[in-house]
Amino acid sequence: VLLVAISTDRVVLGGLLIAMFGIGMAVVLGGLGLVIARVGSAASRSERDWMSSPWARRVGQWVPVAAGAVVLVSGLAFAVTAASRLS
């Protein structure tokens, strides 16, 4: 965004866009953190401790691995697509 703003002589607009993006990101992440904290406290007060079940533990172990695999595969797909368009 900033490179396009510089090339079109609209540096102030580019700077404002980046600042607004940062503020928006902070608001969204802060709100998400509050929601997660609220849900976490409600889940800890539940009668059934579902987080200690073997199923939840297995899912909890594999979710980060699956998320990493998705990021890796999509990144490789983007890189291959971009490399094929270079030539």
Side-chain angles (χ1 to χ4, degrees):
V1 170
L2 197 53
L3 290 176
V4 172
I6 291 170
S7 68
T8 59
D9 292 330
R10 294 183 176 186
V11 178
V12 175
L13 177 63
L16 286 173
L17 284 173
I18 291 173
M20 291 299 113
F21 177 80
I23 291 170
M25 178 83 71
V27 168
V28 168
L29 289 177
L32 188 61
L34 290 174
V35 168
I36 289 173
R38 183 74 68 172
V39 168
S41 65
S44 67
R45 290 186 303 238
S46 68
E47 293 178 16
R48 183 174 170 225
D49 193 12
W50 60 275
M51 292 298 287
S52 64
S53 70
W55 179 84
R57 275 193 236 136
R58 256 184 270 131
V59 169
Q61 289 173 346
W62 285 103
V63 165
V65 174
V70 168
V71 169
L72 177 68
V73 169
S74 61
L76 287 174
F78 289 141
V80 168
T81 303
S84 69
R85 291 184 181 180
L86 287 176
S87 54

